[in-house]
Amino acid sequence: MTENTFPLHNADAIVNFYRNEVLTGQEAKQFTKGDLTPVPRPEAVQTLYMRILHLLYRFRPECHSMVPLLENIQYPGYHEGATAIMSVYTRMRQFLPMCLVYDFSLNDLLAPKKQKTLVILSAIMNFLHFRKERMVLMLEKQAKFRADMDKLQTYTRGNREAEKKIEQLTTIPPEQQAEADELAAALSELQATTVHEYQEVNVKNDNIAEWKTKIAEKTQKLSQVKVDVSNLKEDITKLKSQIVESPEELKSQKEKMKEAAKKIKNSIAETDEYVVEMQNRVQSVAHTEAELQQMNSLLQDLESSMNNTRLRQEEYQELLVQSEKMQKELKSLCSEEVQLKRALGMKLDKECKQNIRRQKKRETTEQHVQEVLGQCNQIHQKREEMADKIQAITGETRQLKAKIKSLRDVCSKETEKAQALYDTLSTSMDGLHKRIEMHITDLKLHQDV
């Protein structure tokens, strides 16, 4: 007992614990520190052990007095007081090794000592603390298992609903299958036409860019020609003002100027015609741009429809990812469920074995109880006979007591009479003695004379 692995508590802590955790009602109120110190009361210790066995094994205190006795024992009534103590002793001997107490003896029930009882109660207190913690953990595990089962059911339901949604999104109903085929054919045709028109538009844009570059070059040339014409006019005016030339040279110069002006007019006419052609082409390009805008609007509608289909595909992929995650979680939960089922199977097997053992024990105990009840009935019959005899004896004793009382009354009266006679005799004897003394004194006086 010197090398314990459990803490030793004082009497106050032990009393508070057992009053709150083990005892109930009047027993908890009546259990005090005086029942353990300085000298433990055997009755309180025995009832406490009975309550501990009832808490742990559901073995009621009244069952301790129903231990079966042998049939050939004489006077079984004498064993009634010892059966309860022996039952508590045997069961405590079976229980206390789990609390690391191996030296429990019968003297600890009949004449318990303070230190030993405190050690035993502190060991049981430690075991009850451990039992309470384990029960809390088991309850938490059971609650967690139930929550996991609920989650698994919700996940399976969510997976089923997601699969149904995926089937609804992926499968086209037969009523809309023809429309879907038509839309797919129309989409393919539109894509082909849009690709062809994009190619034509690109070609036209390239031509327009080339014409724009040519127009820019022509406009630059015209501007240069205009600048040259203005410069020439300025030079002509300067020359006219400075020099007076001959008429032949003037004519030749005028002819040259006329030819240059004709060339310029021809070039201007050509450029005007070219500009008109370019304007017509620009108008045609604007018309084509309007058509292209219409095609762009159609393409935007197609893009919106394609975006919708992409969004649906993304939702489908997200649902697939979620379904994969849920399947993984399902697999993990299934593995946990299998483990828990195995643990439950092991527990159920153990419980079945324990139930079978308990049934066998119950059958044996029922047989013993029936035997004990038969013996108890015999004992009750004997008790009734003894009670009848005792009642007869009590009647006789009452009669004897009445006779004794009457005799005592008679004796008291006779004693009173005898006391009165004794008093009268004593008074008369005192008077006689006094008379005798008086006569003796008179006789002595007569003799002296």
Side-chain angles (χ1 to χ4, degrees):
M1 296 301 291
T2 58
E3 296 179 354
N4 289 324
T5 59
F6 53 86
L8 296 176
H9 301 281
N10 55 9
D12 294 325
I14 290 168
V15 169
N16 291 323
F17 176 78
Y18 285 101
R19 286 180 69 180
N20 294 320
E21 299 293 333
V22 178
L23 299 173
T24 57
Q26 293 294 326
E27 290 182 353
K29 293 179 181 179
Q30 292 175 1
F31 186 68
T32 58
K33 185 179 177 181
D35 295 330
L36 299 176
T37 56
V39 178
R41 288 197 307 110
E43 295 84 2
V45 174
Q46 291 170 10
T47 53
L48 185 59
Y49 289 158
M50 286 181 184
R51 292 298 177 189
I52 290 165
L53 293 171
H54 180 230
L55 177 65
L56 294 172
Y57 301 106
R58 301 297 178 191
F59 196 82
R60 292 178 293 175
E62 57 266 21
C63 295
H64 291 286
S65 61
M66 297 176 69
V67 176
L69 299 172
L70 296 174
E71 295 181 356
N72 295 323
I73 291 175
Q74 293 181 354
Y75 306 110
Y78 295 156
H79 295 272
E80 290 180 358
T83 51
I85 295 168
M86 291 303 294
S87 176
V88 174
Y89 172 68
T90 54
R91 281 163 179 79
M92 290 297 289
R93 287 282 294 178
Q94 293 173 359
F95 163 64
L96 285 174
M98 289 189 287
C99 301
L100 302 177
V101 176
Y102 303 99
D103 57 349
F104 186 76
S105 62
L106 188 61
N107 196 18
D108 295 329
L109 285 173
L110 298 174
K113 295 180 181 179
K114 176 185 174 182
Q115 189 64 32
K116 186 70 175 292
T117 52
L118 291 176
V119 169
I120 292 166
L121 291 174
S122 60
I124 295 168
M125 184 175 173
N126 186 23
F127 179 78
L128 291 174
H129 280 302
F130 175 76
R131 176 176 174 270
K132 191 174 181 181
E133 290 176 357
R134 294 295 102 187
M135 288 181 74
V136 169
L137 289 172
M138 287 298 293
L139 291 172
E140 288 178 355
K141 286 183 179 179
Q142 287 179 356
K144 188 177 179 182
F145 176 71
R146 289 175 183 172
D148 291 333
M149 290 296 290
D150 294 332
K151 285 181 181 179
L152 194 144
Q153 290 177 359
T154 54
Y155 288 153
T156 52
R157 289 175 186 172
N159 283 324
R160 289 173 185 173
E161 291 177 356
E163 287 175 357
K164 288 179 181 179
K165 286 181 181 179
I166 289 163
E167 288 178 358
Q168 289 178 0
L169 290 169
T170 53
T171 57
I172 297 168
E175 297 175 355
Q176 298 177 357
Q177 187 69 39
E179 293 180 358
D181 294 332
E182 290 177 358
L183 288 169
L187 279 170
S188 62
E189 290 177 357
L190 282 170
Q191 286 176 356
T193 53
T194 50
V195 169
H196 183 68
E197 287 178 355
Y198 269 121
Q199 290 176 357
E200 291 179 354
V201 167
N202 290 322
V203 171
K204 288 181 179 180
N205 287 322
D206 294 331
N207 292 322
I208 289 163
E210 289 177 357
W211 285 109
K212 284 181 178 179
T213 54
K214 289 179 181 179
I215 289 163
E217 290 176 355
K218 294 282 186 180
T219 52
Q220 286 179 359
K221 288 178 180 179
L222 282 170
S223 62
Q224 286 178 359
V225 168
K226 287 178 180 179
V227 171
D228 293 331
V229 169
S230 64
N231 290 323
L232 288 169
K233 285 179 179 179
E234 288 177 356
D235 292 332
I236 290 164
T237 54
K238 286 179 181 179
L239 290 168
K240 282 180 179 180
S241 62
Q242 290 177 1
I243 301 165
V244 178
E245 295 179 353
S246 63
E248 292 177 356
E249 290 178 357
L250 287 170
K251 285 179 181 179
S252 62
Q253 287 178 359
K254 283 180 182 179
E255 287 176 358
K256 288 179 182 177
M257 292 294 288
K258 285 179 181 178
E259 288 176 0
K262 285 178 181 180
K263 289 178 181 178
I264 290 165
K265 285 179 181 179
N266 291 321
S267 64
I268 288 165
E270 289 176 357
T271 52
D272 289 332
E273 290 175 357
Y274 187 71
V275 167
V276 171
E277 289 178 359
M278 292 302 292
Q279 286 178 355
N280 292 322
R281 288 180 180 179
V282 168
Q283 287 178 359
S284 64
V285 168
H287 183 67
T288 54
E289 284 180 354
E291 290 178 354
L292 287 170
Q293 286 179 358
Q294 290 178 359
M295 293 299 291
N296 285 320
S297 64
L298 292 171
L299 288 169
Q300 286 177 359
D301 294 331
L302 286 170
E303 285 179 357
S304 64
S305 63
M306 291 295 287
N307 290 321
N308 290 323
T309 54
R310 286 176 185 173
L311 290 171
R312 288 181 181 176
Q313 287 178 357
E314 288 176 357
E315 288 178 356
Y316 175 70
Q317 289 177 358
E318 288 178 356
L319 289 170
L320 285 174
V321 172
Q322 288 179 0
S323 64
E324 289 177 356
K325 288 181 180 178
M326 297 290 277
Q327 285 177 359
K328 289 179 182 178
E329 290 179 356
L330 269 173
K331 287 180 182 178
S332 63
L333 289 170
C334 287
S335 63
E336 289 179 359
E337 185 181 2
V338 169
Q339 291 176 359
L340 291 170
K341 282 182 179 178
R342 287 178 184 174
L344 281 171
M346 296 292 286
K347 287 181 181 178
L348 290 171
D349 292 331
K350 288 180 182 178
E351 286 180 357
C352 289
K353 290 179 182 177
Q354 289 178 358
N355 289 322
I356 291 164
R357 291 175 184 174
R358 286 174 183 173
Q359 285 179 358
K360 289 181 181 178
K361 286 181 181 179
R362 285 175 185 173
E363 290 175 357
T364 54
T365 51
E366 285 178 356
Q367 289 178 359
H368 289 302
V369 167
Q370 288 178 359
E371 292 176 358
V372 170
L373 289 172
Q375 292 177 0
C376 289
N377 291 323
Q378 292 177 1
I379 291 164
H380 283 302
Q381 289 177 0
K382 290 180 182 179
R383 282 181 179 176
E384 288 178 354
E385 292 176 358
M386 293 296 290
D388 295 331
K389 290 179 182 179
I390 289 163
Q391 285 179 358
I393 290 164
T394 52
E396 290 177 358
T397 52
R398 285 175 184 173
Q399 291 176 1
L400 289 170
K401 285 180 181 179
K403 288 180 182 179
I404 288 163
K405 284 181 180 179
S406 62
L407 289 170
R408 283 179 180 175
D409 293 331
V410 171
C411 288
S412 63
K413 289 179 182 179
E414 288 179 355
T415 50
E416 288 177 356
K417 289 179 181 179
Q419 188 70 32
L421 290 171
Y422 179 74
D423 293 332
T424 53
L425 287 171
S426 61
T427 53
S428 61
M429 288 295 289
D430 291 330
L432 286 171
H433 283 295
K434 287 178 180 180
R435 288 176 184 175
I436 288 164
E437 286 177 356
M438 291 292 290
H439 285 294
I440 289 166
T441 52
D442 291 333
L443 287 170
K444 283 181 179 180
L445 290 171
H446 288 295
Q447 287 177 0
D448 292 327
V449 173

